[in-house]
Amino acid sequence: MQTGVVLDIKRLQILLAIVEEGSVTSAATALGCTPSAISQQLLRLEREAGQPLLDRHARGMTPTDAGLVLATHARKVLRQLAAAESDLADIAGVRRGSVTLGTFPTIGSSFLPLAVRRYRELYPNIALTIHSGREDDLVRMLEEGKVAMSLLWDYAWERVVNDELVLTELFTDPTVLLVGATHRLARRRTVRMADLAEEPWIIRAGGHPVVEVLQRSAVAAGFNPTIAFQANDYQEAQAMVSVGLGIALAPRTATVNQHPDVRVISLGDTAPPRRILVAHRAGRVRSAADLALHDVLVETASTYS
């Protein structure tokens, strides 16, 4: 071997493939190269080594003593390189590590489980922690660094505006109508808000955002809604709808766990939708686990409907 020559890793990989596969053609197939390219690289390696590395014969190739020794070292070197790449990936957090996500109930019970399942399939060794809360709590956790990112929502008249946050829109969540199974509109696929002027309404208590959705939609349709009941959550609202106490509005993501005696009807463009967003703090150093989760959320959202 010529002094001062540094052996090329790719050529060592080619030598090892030929020794293990038994021929140039088989090695080319295994490495996804052409036989001519394999042969050229082998000749260069033999020139670097200063001696033949393979004996050519009709049935293929067998390693010379020098070729066998070099192939043995090549196997060790390639394994060590693979281990080094794996360790770097672990340090970066792609295969190990942790990430913390914030969410809110309607998304936590509809869209998010789909993304979590996919993330755990791709990165089973990453510890994923999820916190559910009100939107103001989620924004505070983002600003304080208690979560790496969070799912948020907003409407057209009150966008999330925060210079400390970077927002990515995932999908649009339509507002839908909930009626009982025996209601006069139960068989309709689409209803307009103007058709609902005489109906009693069930709303969420405590100044919930869906109340403003109803008020704005009703005013735009030319009426003031009559409130029959204030529910503490969407399951309670559906229960009251199911027995005919009134009708209700809800984001479509809130109807995944649909009451058997409630029908979900589209309101078309007569009720405003909300945006579902994922946010992270601007300037935050993002780990590979964090970036991978962001990608999975975006990927899942692209097929969510």
Side-chain angles (χ1 to χ4, degrees), residues 231-247:
N232 288 306
D233 56 40
Y234 283 115
Q235 293 306 307
E236 186 177 32
Q238 286 198 56
M240 294 300 105
V241 168
S242 74
V243 295
L245 188 62
I247 62 175

Side-chain angles (χ1 to χ4, degrees), residues 193 196-203 211 213-219 222-228 249:
M193 283 296 296
L196 307 172
E198 305 303 320
E199 297 285 343
W201 288 88
I202 295 168
I203 63 171
V211 178
V213 174
L214 173 60
Q215 292 290 348
R216 286 174 173 271
S217 302
V219 168
F223 69 92
N224 290 314
T226 300
I227 307 304
L249 297 185

Side-chain angles (χ1 to χ4, degrees), residues 163-180:
D163 292 339
E164 294 186 27
L165 302 181
V166 178
L167 305 174
T168 301
E169 182 174 347
L170 294 178
F171 61 92
T172 299
D173 190 12
T175 298
V176 295
L177 176 68
L178 308 181
V179 303

Side-chain angles (χ1 to χ4, degrees), residues 9 85 152 156-157 174 182 189 226 251 267 271 280:
I9 293 295
E85 291 174 354
L152 304 174
W157 58 84
T182 60
R189 297 184 63 180
T226 300
L267 286 163
H280 68 271

